[in-house]
Amino acid sequence: MTDTTPLAVCVVGSGPSGLYAADHIARKRPDCRIDVIDRLPTPFGLVRAGVAPDHQGTKNIVRQFERGFAKGSQRFIGNISVGATVSAAELADLYDAVIYATGAPLDRALGIAGQDLAGVYGSAAFVGWYNGHPDHAGLAPRLGRGIAVIGNGNVALDVARILAKTRAEMTGADLCAHAQDAIEAAPITDIYIIGRRGPLEASFTPPELGELGHLQRACPVIDPAALAGVSADSIADPKEQKVKEKNLEILTGFITAGHDRPVRVHLLFCAAPQEILGADGAVTGLRLERTRLVNGQAEPTGETFDLAVETIISAIGYRSAAIDGVPLDSRKGIIANTDGTVAPGIFTVGWAKRGPSGVIPSNRSDSIAVADQVLAWLDTCAGGKPGPDGLDALLASRAATCVDFSGWQKINAAEQARASDGKPREKLTSVAEMLTVAAG
Ligand code: NAP
């Protein structure tokens, strides 16, 4: 006989990919109980801690996600860490399906000599610092005159732009006060965005690249030789070709733009990091090897040159963190899965599933595809699992402090109340502070 207890799904991770999956399941199976748990007391993952603070429009998506929590079709339970507060096996016993949407929070290592010197940061830590992620808010990076940002993706552009902008340009952004003060006090004159391949191979998107041309105190600088003979004509996919053509047009425009600002943002191409140079344990420079492109891939030339920089931020991609009881494909840096299925009843979505690629809307279609598999799996389930009641009992037995949606609303209100000068919020950056506010 089929048990009449409603089916229960647990989504681990409250970033966009998890919440898109939760939302889809809630729409298709309104009878299903859905818990969304997060290791932080705050929801929304990368929308809060990854999206650039001056891209507030991108963050509007949280309004849609909040509606799901507000109307009760999903329940938010923050400050619960899988592997510490509860185990993966316990979740599998409590719920009919578990979806890991835990992202890719760790930096990929550069793997070159000098990477442990003071002044070298991965973009997960650096972006987490300026966005007030509790894991990284205390980073206190050493910001020098010269800053190298390694990588030719949108994260590299975000990092360079945030460092280049003035306080006035940050009006309306939620850049944390500690980061704003540090950037304003830093002696930055030269920021280098470094690609190991060419301008055509860069994964910048045109709106983000174009922003570099509209900064008050900074101007983009590019060697015209980097663009000589480069064309998007051979790109077969018309959509991709259009993006690349637009990038080339923007980069060409940078050649003739005025270079009379106090901060220069250099776009260097065909330069692969070879060694980080240091003295007394801290960065003094970056040695790069010129590359040449062979079938779109970077081949070493043996020719090197040095940049005088005191800070290096690698924006070269991310990897997922290991969770006890959840298989990790450590080569790919993702949760081991086949098209989103980890094991019967266990699924994964987003960057944990496919690696760190795609913008927020691309997560939507990917999450919905996996959520459809979850729905098909739920059709085979007999019910009878304890679900949310079982989780509540387990958390109570462990005296775990968790934060529900009303707790998040208190944190949200406190952050908005602390903000001044046109900022949407001044984030709380420590878990202890968040828990105090949520309990108030
Ligand atoms: P990405 O687009 O994959 O860029 C990573 C860059 O790092 C590539 O240029 C790559 O070069 C380079 N790289 C990798 N290993 C390297 C090494 N050992 N030495 C030198 N360079 C190396 O990743 P991302 O910038 O981290 O962004 C992740 C995703 O988030 C992307 O899909 C991005 O579009 C998205 N995002 C979007 C926005 C936005 O829409 N505003 C903002 C931020 C992020 P190769 O190509 O040669 O491998």
Side-chain angles (χ1 to χ4, degrees), residues 85-376:
T85 332
V86 292
S87 71
E90 286 165 339
L91 289 183
D93 284 344
L94 289 171
Y95 294 87
D96 296 283
V98 181
I99 305 171
Y100 286 91
T102 40
L106 306 179
D107 280 302
R108 285 189 51 219
L110 272 169
I112 57 175
Q115 65 179 3
D116 297 324
L117 289 166
V120 183
Y121 311 98
S123 56
F126 195 79
V127 171
W129 168 69
Y130 63 60
N131 272 335
H133 190 294
D135 287 356
H136 306 296
L139 186 73
R142 190 173 164 271
L143 299 176
R145 290 168 66 85
I147 300 186
V149 184
I150 299 174
N152 262 186
N154 283 332
V155 171
L157 291 178
D158 279 352
V159 167
R161 188 182 68 256
I162 298 303
L163 287 167
K165 274 190 170 183
T166 61
R167 184 181 289 271
E169 284 172 291
M170 279 293 173
T171 306
D174 62 351
L175 177 64
C176 288
H178 63 251
Q180 182 69 78
D181 292 345
I183 292 167
E184 193 170 52
I188 306 169
T189 57
D190 294 274
I191 299 168
Y192 302 87
I193 301 177
I194 298 163
R196 61 182 170 183
R197 298 192 287 157
L200 199 61
E201 289 73 27
S203 51
F204 305 141
T205 47
E208 284 66 28
L209 182 60
E211 283 180 83
L212 287 187
H214 301 283
L215 302 174
Q216 281 173 10
R217 69 162 179 163
C219 52
V221 178
I222 178 167
D223 178 357
L227 297 173
V230 180
S231 133
D233 288 353
S234 60
I235 296 177
D237 175 25
K239 219 165 134 192
E240 195 194 341
Q241 188 184 51
K242 214 165 152 201
V243 168
K244 300 295 183 180
E245 275 170 356
K246 189 72 196 158
N247 277 352
L248 293 177
E249 185 188 313
I250 293 167
L251 290 168
T252 305
F254 290 168
I255 294 174
T256 49
H259 293 155
D260 52 349
R261 312 269 162 87
V263 176
R264 290 164 298 276
V265 182
H266 308 261
L267 289 132
L268 302 187
F269 295 100
C270 292
Q274 197 184 62
E275 182 184 351
I276 297 171
L277 310 172
D280 302 325
V283 176
T284 56
L286 175 63
R287 178 156 300 155
L288 294 157
E289 178 172 15
R290 288 194 203 283
T291 63
R292 71 171 157 257
L293 289 172
V294 179
N295 298 327
Q297 296 308 308
E299 296 275 338
T301 62
E303 186 192 340
T304 62
F305 65 104
D306 294 348
L307 295 178
V309 292
E310 297 81 27
T311 311
I312 293 176
I313 300 152
S314 64
I316 61 167
Y318 303 113
R319 59 194 170 86
S320 296
I323 300 171
D324 247 1
V326 182
L328 187 76
D329 180 333
S330 45
R331 194 181 58 80
K332 293 185 182 159
I334 59 175
I335 291 178
N337 73 92
T338 307
D339 295 332
T341 297
V342 179
I346 311 292
F347 302 87
T348 182
V349 291
W351 284 9
K353 171 199 167 218
R354 65 175 196 280
S357 68
V359 292
I360 291 173
S362 32
N363 276 304
R364 183 170 179 277
S365 45
D366 194 60
S367 289
I368 287 175
V370 177
D372 279 333
Q373 294 181 51
V374 178
L375 288 163

